[in-house]
Amino acid sequence: MNLKNKTAVITGGCQGIGYATVIKFLKEGAQVVIVDLDKKEIEDTVINLRQYEGQVKGIAADVSDKSSVDEAIQYTIDHFGSIDIVVNNAGIVQDAQLLKMKEEEWDKVIDVNLKGIFLVTQAAALRMKEQKSGVILNASSVVGLYGNFGQTNYVASKSGVNGMTKTWARELGRYNIRVNSIAPGFVLTHMVKEMPSHIVNMMKEKSLLNEIGKPEDIANAYAFLASEEARFVTGTVLSVDGGLVT
Ligand SMILES: NC(=O)c1ccc[n+]([C@@H]2O[C@H](COP(=O)([O-])OP(=O)(O)OC[C@H]3O[C@@H](n4cnc5c(N)ncnc54)[C@H](O)[C@@H]3O)[C@@H](O)[C@H]2O)c1
């Protein structure tokens, strides 16, 4: 999966699935701009990736804030001259059952997971339209397809991501822009490590492969969808979940 001479913006690239995707894309030859919240964490991440010096940059931005998103997209163009791939990976959880969920918890998760993807994609797609090519990849989740106990806000955001993916594939195909999302199952990252171990074990047992995923499993799927090998794939939600939901 060759990504040579492609420029990718990866949001939430400092840890977890985002960080694994940054490494995979760098190995495949892409130039990568990491967009994440904390300036110091971004600097440390770029230092850790010093073997790819010149190929990786980072900028602090909150994906739910339009002006910082616009700045991040402009930064990418200024440094690498184009924007070929966006991985809308940044996402958060703030779980509570419907009857206990606070309005702030609803708003925060929708702001980051849904509005964030809208803002980043809109800013990037305007550039991609001029280039007449591009790839947008969105972080969904299996729960966006099947629902989940205690995750009203998160499930709404991920179902929304699937809807936006299909809508944008329709709108942007004429500009040679492909749009897809990935619905991971349970993947061992900070997000999942915070969950009670009995739930993680239950998810492992439910998976047909009896496994929890690794961040690299998702990164590999993003790399495929970003590459020319997926040139005929658009408007799809790819489950990468070890057969958790079939
Ligand atoms: N881990 C899983 O099991 C799993 C399953 C399904 C879907 N996902 C989705 O995959 C994506 C990555 O998950 P993860 O487990 O690696 O998460 P994580 O919590 O390990 O990392 C998320 C990253 O996003 C960044 N981020 C958060 N809010 C941001 C904002 N407003 N602006 C910019 N950056 C922000 C964080 O700083 C962090 O670096 C998320 O969208 C998540 O919903 C994860």
Side-chain angles (χ1 to χ4, degrees):
M1 281 165 287
N2 192 344
L3 301 177
K4 217 167 171 46
N5 298 324
K6 301 286 183 195
T7 298
V9 169
I10 302 180
T11 68
C14 282
Q15 64 177 48
I17 292 169
Y19 184 61
T21 306
V22 168
I23 293 176
K24 176 68 180 167
F25 277 40
L26 289 170
K27 280 186 183 159
E28 298 296 335
Q31 292 139 341
V32 174
V33 172
I34 298 170
V35 175
D36 212 308
L37 287 173
D38 188 89
K39 192 163 184 274
K40 174 80 174 66
E41 248 181 68
I42 294 169
E43 282 166 6
D44 291 347
T45 306
V46 172
I47 288 169
N48 283 340
L49 297 167
R50 65 178 77 78
Q51 69 190 105
Y52 299 100
E53 205 182 336
Q55 213 185 320
V56 57
K57 305 254 177 226
I59 179 166
D62 178 343
V63 295
S64 65
D65 176 70
K66 181 167 165 49
S67 63
S68 69
V69 164
D70 289 347
E71 212 178 294
I73 298 300
Q74 189 58 50
Y75 174 91
T76 305
I77 304 282
D78 291 347
H79 280 83
F80 292 122
S82 69
I83 177 163
D84 305 300
I85 304 159
V86 169
V87 183
N88 279 310
N89 164 76
I92 58 167
V93 283
Q94 289 194 3
D95 294 350
Q97 290 177 47
L98 170 65
L99 301 183
K100 292 181 184 160
M101 184 169 284
K102 299 188 186 85
E103 190 180 350
E104 308 86 82
E105 292 168 333
W106 166 269
D107 286 344
K108 183 71 190 163
V109 170
I110 296 296
D111 262 8
V112 176
N113 296 8
L114 200 59
K115 182 181 167 189
I117 292 187
F118 160 70
L119 290 175
V120 175
T121 303
Q122 190 182 52
L126 281 165
R127 311 299 179 122
M128 290 174 173
K129 181 186 167 193
E130 286 167 21
Q131 293 168 193
K132 294 199 169 42
S133 69
V135 178
I136 306 284
L137 301 173
N138 299 325
S140 181
S141 166
V142 284
V143 307
L145 297 166
Y146 299 95
N148 202 20
F149 191 96
Q151 290 196 310
T152 294
N153 49 3
Y154 186 75
V155 167
S157 73
K158 297 303 186 183
S159 300
V161 166
N162 295 342
M164 293 195 300
T165 298
K166 288 176 184 295
T167 299
W168 296 338
R170 287 175 190 273
E171 292 184 5
L172 302 176
R174 74 192 77 169
Y175 308 120
N176 192 28
I177 301 171
R178 296 188 293 106
V179 189
N180 292 292
S181 62
I182 290 187
F186 266 60
V187 181
L188 206 53
T189 66
H190 176 70
M191 196 177 262
V192 164
K193 281 177 195 156
E194 283 187 349
M195 290 183 179
S197 60
H198 72 275
I199 295 199
V200 178
N201 285 336
M202 188 176 78
M203 289 304 163
K204 182 178 167 188
E205 280 160 24
K206 272 192 172 180
S207 142
L208 299 183
L209 299 176
N210 195 29
E211 274 198 50
I212 297 289
K214 295 185 285 210
E216 293 75 17
D217 296 324
I218 311 304
N220 290 340
Y222 277 132
F224 164 67
L225 288 174
S227 75
E228 265 303 292
E229 286 165 41
R231 58 172 289 280
F232 204 48
V233 184
T234 196
T236 197
V237 179
L238 176 64
S239 291
V240 182
D241 64 358
L244 185 63
V245 281
T246 49

